[in-house]
Amino acid sequence: MFAVLSTRRKAFARVALVAAALALAACEPMPSGRAPALDAGAPVPVALILPGGTGNSTDEMLARNLKQAADLAIADLQGVRIDLRVYNAGSDAATSAAMAKKAVAEGAKVILGPVFAEAANAAGVAVAPAGVNVLSFSNNTDIAGGNVFVLGPTFQNTANRLVRYAARSGKGRILIVHDETPAGDLGARAITSAAARSGGSVVGTASYPFSQQGVMAAAPGIAAQAKSAGATSVFFTADTAGALPLLAQTLPSSGLSSQSAQFVGLTRWDIPSATLSMPGLQGGWFALPDPGLAAQFNARFAAAYGEQPHPIAGLAYDGIAAIGALAKSGRADALGAASLTQGSGFAGVGGVFRLLSDGTNERGLAVAQIQNAQVVVIDPAPRSFTGAGF
C-alpha cells in the first residue's frame, strides 16, 4: 500500500491547485435581458475565445481541439451559417477581457469560451454593457449568472441525477464524504441540496484533510459513522486523481465497502480506465454522458483529425449546436437570455442539455455501475427533459 500511496503525491498537489481555483472571488457580470440583434439571412458572427497563444503544449492542444469540435458542429448545421472568429487569450483574465471587447467591437453577437473561470468571468464583465452573452467552457458555477453561462458539467447537475436515482432505488440515506477543500465543500453542498429536493436524506457528513495521512487517519471514523447513521449510500466528492484511490483502499479495510452501503461518486470513475480495476470501487455508481453518443462524437473527431478529442472539446460542439439551433428560428433576438434558456434545451455530443436562468446548466446523464472492472449503464441517459432522469 505504501508504494501506491507514494505515487499519489503529485496527483494530490495537482488537484489541490484545481480546488483552490474554485475559491475565486468573481466580479458580477451584468444580467443581460437583451442581445445584439441578428441580421436576417446573414451568417451569425460568433467569437471563439481559446486558451492558445501561450506556447504551452497542453493549452495549445486544448485550443486546437476546441476549434476542431466547433468546426464539426458548423459542418452539421443546416439552414444557418456561422461566421466563426477565433481569438487566442491564453489563460489570462485581462487578455480574455480585452479579446472579448475586441470581438464585440468587430461584430460578434455571442462569445463561446473562454475555458478558465477567472478568464470567463472577466470576459463576461467586459461585454455585459453591450448585452452580449458568454457561453463559457468552465464548470465553475461561482462565475455563472448575468450574461455568463457555464457549459461544463457541474457538481449540482451530477448530484441531482445520482441522488434521485439513489432515492428511487432505496438507497436514499446518504453519508457525504468530502475533501476539506473548496471543491470538496462545493460537492458536499451540491449533494445536500439535491437530497432536499429528491426525497433523499443526508444522515451524516464526514470530511478529511486533503493529504494521504488525512485520508488514512479519517477512514476508521468514516466507516464507524456510516454504520452508526444507518447510511444506505456513501457519496464521495473525491476524484480519481486525488483521494478516491486511497478511500477505495482504506475504507473496506476499516469495515465500509460497497456491499455494506452503496458507494456513489460525484466525479467520473472511468477516467483513467485503470480506476475501474480497483477492488474497493466494484459495484460503485457514478454518472456520465450518454456513452453511445459520446463514442460517436469521439469516433467522428478521430476520423476527421487523426486524434482523440480533449475531454472538454465537445463543449465547443455543444455551444455551436445551441447557437445554430436558435439562429435558425430567424428571430432577431435569438441569442438573448430568454432563448438561450429555453426549457426544451438542445442536442449535444453527450445528449440533451439546457442552460438555466442562473447561468448553470442541466445535462441528461446516465447512471453507471462498475461491474467486474467494466462500465455498465444501469439507468440510461434521458433523451428529453420530461423523462425519469429529471
Side-chain angles (χ1 to χ4, degrees):
M1 179 183 291
F2 289 105
V4 174
L5 295 182
S6 65
T7 64
R8 298 289 173 188
R9 291 188 180 120
K10 290 184 179 179
F12 269 108
R14 287 197 305 271
V15 178
L17 290 174
V18 174
L22 288 168
L24 69 91
C27 298
E28 282 294 323
M30 297 288 290
S32 180
R34 60 188 176 86
L38 301 184
D39 298 325
V44 180
V46 176
L48 178 62
I49 299 182
L50 297 174
T54 65
N56 177 284
S57 60
T58 301
D59 289 347
E60 297 297 340
M61 182 271 287
L62 174 56
R64 181 179 69 250
N65 282 186
L66 288 166
K67 169 63 164 58
Q68 291 166 331
D71 287 339
L72 275 182
I74 290 172
D76 286 345
L77 295 178
Q78 296 181 352
V80 62
R81 293 174 294 162
I82 300 293
D83 176 10
L84 190 67
R85 303 167 180 188
V86 177
Y87 300 84
N88 282 312
S91 60
D92 183 68
T95 304
S96 296
M99 290 297 101
K101 283 186 175 180
K102 180 181 179 183
V104 171
E106 293 175 348
K109 307 294 187 181
V110 66
I111 291 175
L112 190 56
V115 171
F116 303 104
E118 290 181 342
N121 182 73
V125 171
V127 302
V132 173
N133 287 305
V134 174
L135 309 185
S136 166
F137 301 131
S138 174
N139 67 346
N140 188 337
T141 56
D142 285 347
I143 67 166
N147 66 323
V148 176
F149 296 86
V150 294
L151 290 172
T154 68
F155 274 161
Q156 191 63 65
N157 185 59
T158 303
N160 290 344
R161 178 67 166 108
L162 289 170
V163 172
R164 278 194 299 263
Y165 184 74
R168 294 203 315 266
S169 304
K171 306 286 187 179
R173 292 180 56 82
I174 298 167
L175 174 68
I176 300 172
V177 177
H178 69 95
D179 305 333
E180 292 172 2
T181 63
D185 293 341
L186 181 64
R189 292 198 303 272
I191 297 165
T192 299
S193 175
R197 63 170 69 102
S198 70
S201 61
V202 175
V203 297
T205 300
S207 65
Y208 48 86
F210 193 68
S211 68
Q212 295 169 4
Q213 294 78 12
V215 172
M216 296 180 68
I222 293 171
Q225 186 175 353
K227 182 177 181 179
S228 64
T232 54
S233 63
V234 179
F235 274 65
F236 299 95
T237 66
D239 64 18
T240 58
L244 183 65
L246 300 183
L247 290 166
Q249 290 177 346
T250 56
L251 287 176
S253 63
S254 297
L256 178 61
S257 70
S258 200
Q259 285 70 50
S260 53
Q262 180 64 53
F263 282 7
V264 186
L266 208 55
T267 61
R268 290 282 296 269
W269 286 6
D270 58 330
I271 302 174
S273 59
T275 307
L276 297 173
S277 299
M278 292 184 176
L281 296 183
Q282 301 307 304
W285 296 347
F286 63 97
L288 74 170
D290 186 307
L293 295 177
Q296 289 176 23
F297 171 73
N298 290 344
R300 284 191 60 205
F301 190 100
Y305 304 117
E307 62 181 341
Q308 287 295 312
H310 187 281
I312 73 165
L315 299 180
Y317 188 106
D318 289 356
I320 292 294
I323 293 166
L326 294 173
K328 192 174 181 179
S329 70
R331 293 173 46 188
D333 63 348
L335 297 181
S339 297
L340 286 169
T341 56
Q342 64 179 24
S344 58
F346 310 97
V349 297
V352 294
F353 72 98
R354 61 184 171 188
L355 301 173
L356 305 179
S357 59
D358 63 359
T360 64
N361 68 73
E362 190 171 27
R363 291 179 173 273
L365 299 174
V367 178
Q369 184 175 44
I370 301 177
Q371 299 179 8
N372 299 317
Q374 300 293 319
V375 176
V376 177
V377 172
I378 56 176
D379 197 41
R383 294 299 180 94
S384 72
F385 288 98
T386 58
F390 297 99

